[in-house]
Amino acid sequence: MLEASGVMVFYENMLALNNIDLNCPDNGVIGIFGANSAGKSTLMYALSGIILDIQHKEKMRGGERISLFGEIRHNGEAITGLKAHQRAQRGIVLCPERRRLFPESSVFENLAIGGHLATRAQARETMAFVMELFPALKKLTRRAAGFLSGGEQQMVAIGRALMAQPKVLLLDEPLLGLAPSIQHIVVESIPQIRKERNISVIVTEQYARPVIPYVDYAYIIENGSAVMEGTSRELFENPDIKAAYFGCG
Amino acid sequence: MSEPFKQRRRERIDRGVKVRSASIYALNSLEEIGYLLAPRMLLTCCFLFMPLALSPWPYWGRVGLSVCILALLSISFDFLANYVGLVSLGGAFFYGIGGYISAICNTEFGLPPFLAILVATILGAMICTIALLPCLPLRGIYFAIVTLMYPLLMIRLIEAFDILGGTEGFRGIDGFNSFWTEQYGLVLGLLVALFALRRFVNTDAGLVVRAVKDNDQSVRASGISVTRTKAKAVFLASLTGCFAGAYYIHMYSNVGISSFALDLSIMPIAATIIGGSGTLVGPVIGAAILVPLSELLRDFGSLRIVVYALVLTGFVVFRSEGLMNFLTRKYQQIERWVDIR
């Protein structure tokens, strides 16, 4: 169970996240929907701990000062001060926006790097699961990841995150720039991951329609604030939300 | 008597005078003109008064000139690395080419020092640009390695073929006729180079140069030749480097293969890091710290390299933004605690 309470992030004087409360139960799928610059990625960075790394780098560079407030708890323990790699060891693994693969390594190597935290047996088993989840990758294992299509890269990215044996998988805009048919394959994998790996998934998207059927509970973020939350049915029936995030009036 | 717990955040905001002087109305008030001019005048005056202040001690006068020489090379490095995206380790190449051409102009053709320096600066920059032309498509470490090779190559060529005076170099080059011309010639050269380059990077041509650093494919897609843009930028940087080299040899009346020494390529990097990369003024400040520091540490013999390395490592690890970026922020912004919620 991953909980966030009162999370606030300032980029210099700009409030990127305003008092976000979030609750992700075990084996649940949570959706976070919002437009560009709503704060989705910042929230994912805050949950995964990458924000601490960004904060440090900006400080060394003399760039923006990033201020963080609030608390994040995993299974009741506060993990607010833990760095990204420590959170990954606890099972909170981010699959970053725009995939961020290791472009010069092969698909197999990308997955193997992701499996650094896993035991040998776990890695072998997870690798088989990823290939079963995305059969398209089977033929590509020796190919350099940088030369794959966008959809295949996204599959590799999700696979790489799964290799780290997550308990909470954070998917940041997994459908970014994908064709509708590929979006379908990626989205379909979410319930399968949840069922077979028995883990929670938090997924962010701008356009909620493809994702909403697979989400238990969702939050709508606007300008850094959670303006609405509810089960997928509740949100789907709200006319304002429907117009803004489901593309139908 | 316990205060309720409040979360606070340290806020940075621009000073009022900074915001006001950012617009064209800055010219309406003396305060804002003063705010804009103060740092520029401070630097200019420091350098203009330096020869006067140092005139009783000729040794330290020479140290002051060494500051200017290193500052020129560092500006050239900073401009190429942080505005064009070409990390050049060939500072010594510019320097040596400038030095040798000026020596030849003076000894063979009998040109007076200032004319020889002028010819060496322009002709040297042309030669350097043409020599570097084949490497311009390279980026990052490849460009760095190739430019590092050039001065080493020159040393070996001069040794092997015994050209350009061989290992002896040229001697008996004319010096400057007085202490003051020597001092002010270089100080003015430095100030002109600094302010001209600062102006250049904000002109339209300078914007294109900076765009090449950000994304050369987009520049190409806009119909601009990347290689030509880079060549122009290298020409400007080598003007600065060649001037430094040409000036230096007239100060000491001889030139040799030490003009291509590796130090001259490496020291500018140190000065740029300490002063703040990407500021152009930063490298000048860095040079003004490094050169006197290394003179003061001369008594420690080879231990001075240790101190030197520690200072540099400290800056890289703890203040990689550099002095100039830090000072700019302090000058332009105030900090205060604000409550949140």
Side-chain angles (χ1 to χ4, degrees):
Chain A
M1 169 138 156
L2 184 69
E3 294 165 280
S5 54
V7 172
M8 295 181 96
V9 176
F10 287 86
Y11 289 125
E12 202 64 73
N13 300 331
M14 194 195 79
L15 184 55
L17 282 184
N18 186 4
N19 227 348
I20 297 276
D21 294 312
L22 181 140
N23 194 342
C24 175
D26 284 335
N27 203 16
V29 177
I30 299 293
I32 294 166
F33 303 117
N36 297 88
S37 84
K40 302 185 299 298
S41 291
T42 304
L43 179 57
M44 293 309 234
Y45 290 149
L47 292 177
S48 63
I50 302 283
I51 194 90
L52 295 172
D53 186 53
I54 300 175
Q55 185 186 33
H56 178 71
K57 285 195 176 130
E58 282 292 310
K59 189 179 171 191
M60 295 309 293
R61 207 172 57 85
E64 286 184 328
R65 175 179 286 160
I66 300 178
S67 325
L68 310 170
F69 301 97
E71 196 180 34
I72 299 166
R73 285 181 303 278
H74 183 229
N75 294 335
E77 275 177 65
I79 56 165
T80 321
L82 292 191
K83 297 205 170 110
H85 69 276
Q86 292 167 317
R87 294 194 200 184
Q89 280 162 7
R90 292 191 61 115
I92 299 162
V93 177
L94 173 71
C95 172
E97 187 182 355
R98 291 175 208 285
R99 310 181 270 274
R100 308 282 174 91
L101 293 180
F102 307 114
E104 286 169 23
S105 302
S106 71
V107 170
F108 177 80
E109 286 162 341
N110 266 278
L111 294 175
I113 297 165
H116 174 72
L117 291 171
T119 63
R120 200 173 275 266
Q122 280 175 330
R124 200 178 310 123
E125 186 265 339
T126 314
M127 187 88 77
F129 172 73
V130 172
M131 292 303 159
E132 186 195 329
L133 194 64
F134 302 117
L137 294 183
K138 269 183 196 157
K139 284 177 288 181
L140 303 171
T141 50
R142 304 257 160 248
R143 193 88 68 81
F147 287 110
L148 300 182
S149 72
E152 290 157 352
Q153 288 195 13
Q154 186 61 54
M155 294 175 197
V156 178
I158 295 176
R160 184 181 61 183
L162 283 172
M163 291 294 288
Q165 312 300 316
K167 296 191 178 65
V168 181
L169 176 63
L170 308 173
L171 294 177
D172 198 358
E173 301 213 16
L175 305 184
L176 191 76
L178 303 188
S181 61
I182 310 286
Q183 286 190 353
H184 190 67
I185 298 174
V186 172
V187 164
E188 290 276 282
S189 71
I190 294 175
Q192 213 177 332
I193 291 170
R194 171 201 208 169
K195 195 167 109 235
E196 297 193 24
R197 312 300 294 180
N198 199 22
I199 61 176
S200 333
V201 179
I202 300 181
V203 53
T204 72
E205 247 337 300
Q206 299 185 18
Y207 182 48
R209 175 147 240 173
V211 189
I212 202 84
Y214 305 100
V215 165
D216 303 335
Y217 199 81
Y219 297 81
I220 307 282
I221 300 188
E222 273 174 20
N223 293 326
S225 310
V227 290
M228 182 164 287
E229 56 177 274
T231 60
S232 50
R233 175 148 296 280
E234 282 165 10
L235 292 179
F236 201 71
E237 283 165 3
N238 182 317
D240 294 340
I241 300 295
K242 215 170 164 180
Y245 299 99
F246 296 99
C248 48
Chain B
M1 290 295 284
S2 65
E3 289 241 324
F5 176 71
K6 265 186 184 168
Q7 282 182 308
R8 297 197 304 167
R9 180 173 76 82
R10 199 140 166 78
E11 182 186 50
R12 277 185 201 146
I13 49 172
D14 285 354
R15 289 178 201 277
V17 62
K18 195 251 165 187
V19 178
R20 287 197 302 278
S21 54
S23 72
I24 192 164
Y25 301 109
L27 299 177
N28 281 341
S29 110
L30 278 178
E31 189 199 352
E32 282 138 38
I33 295 176
Y35 176 83
L36 287 177
L37 281 181
R40 293 164 175 82
M41 290 315 287
L42 180 69
L43 184 91
T44 314
C45 292
C46 276
F47 272 98
L48 288 180
F49 279 112
M50 185 181 73
L52 283 175
L54 294 179
S55 58
W57 304 281
Y59 174 75
W60 286 100
R62 279 290 160 93
V63 173
L65 292 185
S66 297
V67 168
C68 297
I69 296 281
L70 180 61
L72 280 164
L73 285 173
S74 309
I75 293 174
S76 152
F77 171 82
D78 189 32
F79 173 69
L80 275 186
N82 295 306
Y83 289 92
V84 198
L86 297 169
V87 179
S88 154
L89 298 179
F93 182 62
F94 302 152
Y95 186 86
I97 294 283
Y100 268 97
I101 293 181
S102 192
I104 293 167
C105 288
N106 185 251
T107 54
E108 305 285 323
F109 301 106
L111 295 184
F114 278 110
L115 197 56
I117 291 171
L118 185 69
V119 172
T121 305
I122 294 168
L123 190 63
M126 284 177 185
I127 292 174
C128 290
T129 312
I130 291 168
L132 288 175
L133 216 48
C135 336
L136 289 184
L138 302 177
R139 286 182 77 91
I141 190 81
Y142 300 101
F143 187 81
I145 282 297
V146 173
T147 47
L148 181 67
M149 286 304 146
Y150 270 96
L152 302 180
L153 187 79
M154 286 304 293
I155 294 179
R156 299 287 167 249
L157 279 178
I158 291 171
E159 277 178 358
F161 294 106
D162 203 25
I163 45 171
L164 300 171
T167 45
E168 291 282 305
F170 292 93
R171 292 185 185 285
I173 302 163
D174 290 344
F176 299 97
N177 43 24
S178 84
F179 175 81
W180 300 109
T181 40
E182 179 180 276
Q183 293 273 335
Y184 278 105
L186 188 54
V187 166
L188 287 177
L190 171 65
L191 291 175
V192 168
L194 174 63
F195 285 103
L197 273 182
R198 268 172 60 98
R199 172 62 64 89
F200 172 75
V201 294
N202 288 319
T203 59
D204 286 0
L207 289 182
V208 175
V209 167
R210 281 153 65 190
V212 168
K213 188 205 171 198
D214 282 343
N215 193 330
D216 57 344
Q217 286 179 344
S218 305
V219 172
R220 237 177 232 123
S222 312
I224 299 166
S225 162
V226 170
T227 310
R228 185 174 298 184
T229 312
K230 281 183 181 172
K232 280 181 204 158
V234 167
F235 181 75
L236 287 178
S238 40
L239 274 181
T240 322
C242 289
F243 174 74
Y247 208 95
Y248 188 82
I249 62 133
H250 287 284
M251 281 159 53
Y252 289 93
S253 296
N254 66 64
V255 63
I257 46 178
S258 62
S259 286
F260 289 110
L262 196 58
D263 283 14
L264 295 164
S265 303
I266 304 299
M267 292 279 287
I269 304 178
T272 306
I273 287 171
I274 288 178
S277 23
T279 55
L280 293 177
V281 185
V284 178
I285 296 174
I289 293 173
L290 274 182
V291 175
L293 180 73
S294 102
E295 289 302 322
L296 288 173
L297 293 172
R298 213 170 259 284
D299 297 339
F300 294 94
S302 49
L303 257 185
R304 80 181 166 137
I305 303 295
V306 176
V307 179
Y308 210 76
L310 283 178
V311 170
L312 191 61
T313 315
F315 262 97
V316 173
V317 175
F318 297 108
R319 275 262 168 258
S320 46
E321 56 176 333
L323 270 177
M324 191 57 205
N325 288 322
F326 177 78
L327 292 175
T328 310
R329 203 170 62 231
K330 292 289 167 209
Y331 189 65
Q332 294 184 341
Q333 297 182 313
I334 49 170
E335 298 198 31
R336 62 180 185 195
W337 287 101
V338 286
D339 294 326
I340 60 166
R341 267 182 264 198

